Amino acid sequence: MERATVIVAIDGPSGTGKSSTSKAVAAQLGLSYLDTGAQYRAITWWMVNNGIDIEDPSAIAAVAGKPEIVSGTDPTGPTITVDGTDVAGPIRTQEVTSQVSAVSAVPEVRARITELQRSIASDAENGIVVEGRDIGTTVLPDADLKIFLTASPEARAARRSGELKGADVQSTREALLKRDAADSSRKTSPLAKADDAVEVDTSELTLQQVIECVVTLVEEKRAGK
Ligand SMILES: Nc1ncnc2c1ncn2[C@@H]1O[C@H](COP(=O)(O)OP(=O)(O)OP(=O)(O)O)[C@@H](O)[C@H]1O
Ligand SMILES: Nc1ccn([C@H]2C[C@H](O)[C@@H](COP(=O)(O)O)O2)c(=O)n1
């Protein structure tokens, strides 16, 4: 029998296609969509804007509860605001990207954002696709379906360089690997594949093929297979 709601967790390193895949799958299946990386970027943006010393975890922890972060979960037009300000653009700057791993490693930040993520997921009436680094392992360990996307560093760097309009592939590759290493080695809920996640290597797949693969997995779950 087909189940009414479905919770899908999609994790993986940077540039493996989590956001593109999750948005498309959610739109196709009528589910909500949550980009948890955008939430960590938003809190990092707030820390930078408020002059918080990013090198000092206790300073970050002391103010982790202050910013109000609101995520819109329509996959065709996801939104993110901090204290009512639209930060969808500013959270993608190099300044934020280079500091987000340090901010997201602070346990008080993770506790705050994890609580927000669980609340958004439980409010999603038709189900939700939630993408990030620790969704299957920590945020939603009871998700109906867990996917772990991977891709070679070369494929990921080529994709990102294309997005950044010809940025140097080698330095893009190094920056990706540096962020992955920081995200995988932090003590609190590091980037990791859940034991029961389905791993999909996207290196040789088109985005459309990855989307079809995930849609099929969700439909099988919904059908109770
Ligand atoms: N299978 C694929 N083949 C080719 N390009 C892809 C594929 N999947 C995603 N892309 C492209 O790669 C880039 C990165 O994808 P996306 O932002 O979805 O990755 P991500 O895993 O969410 O990254 P991050 O964790 O850094 O936010 C985008 O330009 C996207 O269009
Ligand atoms: N569940 C998550 C999602 C993201 N992060 C951190 C680590 C990433 O480097 C950063 C930005 O994510 P992106 O926009 O690249 O997906 O946010 C995390 O710790 N946990």
Side-chain angles (χ1 to χ4, degrees), residues 108-126:
E108 288 79 1
V109 168
R110 299 206 75 77
R112 168 96 201 287
I113 301 289
T114 297
E115 190 188 343
L116 181 60
Q117 292 161 354
R118 288 181 178 150
S119 148
I120 292 169
S122 74
D123 286 349
E125 285 180 7
N126 297 326

Side-chain angles (χ1 to χ4, degrees), residues 10-23 33 35 37-38 41 92 97 131-133 149 151 155-156 158-164 176 179-180 183 201-211:
I10 301 192
D11 291 299
S14 303
T16 50
K18 299 181 299 297
S19 299
S20 326
T21 305
S22 302
K23 257 187 277 190
Y33 160 70
D35 176 355
R41 287 172 178 273
R92 304 288 163 193
T97 301
E131 55 115 339
R133 305 292 191 289
L149 295 184
R156 295 190 282 137
R159 291 172 189 174
R160 275 272 174 256
S161 303
E163 216 176 32
L164 301 171
L176 282 173
R179 193 144 63 92
D180 288 349
D183 295 341
D201 183 344
T202 71
S203 309
E204 303 293 331
L205 301 178
T206 64
L207 177 55
Q208 197 49 42
Q209 286 173 321
V210 182
I211 294 165

Side-chain angles (χ1 to χ4, degrees), residues 100-148:
V100 64
S101 292
V103 173
S104 61
V106 175
E108 288 79 1
V109 168
R110 299 206 75 77
R112 168 96 201 287
I113 301 289
T114 297
E115 190 188 343
L116 181 60
Q117 292 161 354
R118 288 181 178 150
S119 148
I120 292 169
S122 74
D123 286 349
E125 285 180 7
N126 297 326
I128 190 164
V129 181
V130 183
E131 55 115 339
R133 305 292 191 289
D134 62 337
I135 310 306
T137 54
T138 306
V139 178
L140 300 168
D142 297 328
D144 298 294
L145 176 65
K146 300 179 187 177
I147 312 269
F148 194 79

Side-chain angles (χ1 to χ4, degrees), residues 145-219:
L145 176 65
K146 300 179 187 177
I147 312 269
F148 194 79
L149 295 184
T150 63
S152 68
E154 291 68 30
R156 295 190 282 137
R159 291 172 189 174
R160 275 272 174 256
S161 303
E163 216 176 32
L164 301 171
K165 310 236 173 344
D168 173 57
V169 180
Q170 190 55 30
S171 54
T172 304
R173 182 181 184 278
E174 278 161 25
L176 282 173
L177 293 178
K178 188 175 167 205
R179 193 144 63 92
D180 288 349
D183 295 341
S184 306
S185 62
R186 67 173 175 243
K187 283 208 177 106
T188 311
S189 59
L191 159 66
K193 176 182 171 294
D195 290 340
D196 52 351
V198 179
E199 185 165 331
V200 180
D201 183 344
T202 71
S203 309
E204 303 293 331
L205 301 178
T206 64
L207 177 55
Q208 197 49 42
Q209 286 173 321
V210 182
I211 294 165
E212 279 164 21
C213 166
V214 176
V215 165
T216 302
L217 289 168
V218 176
E219 283 173 340

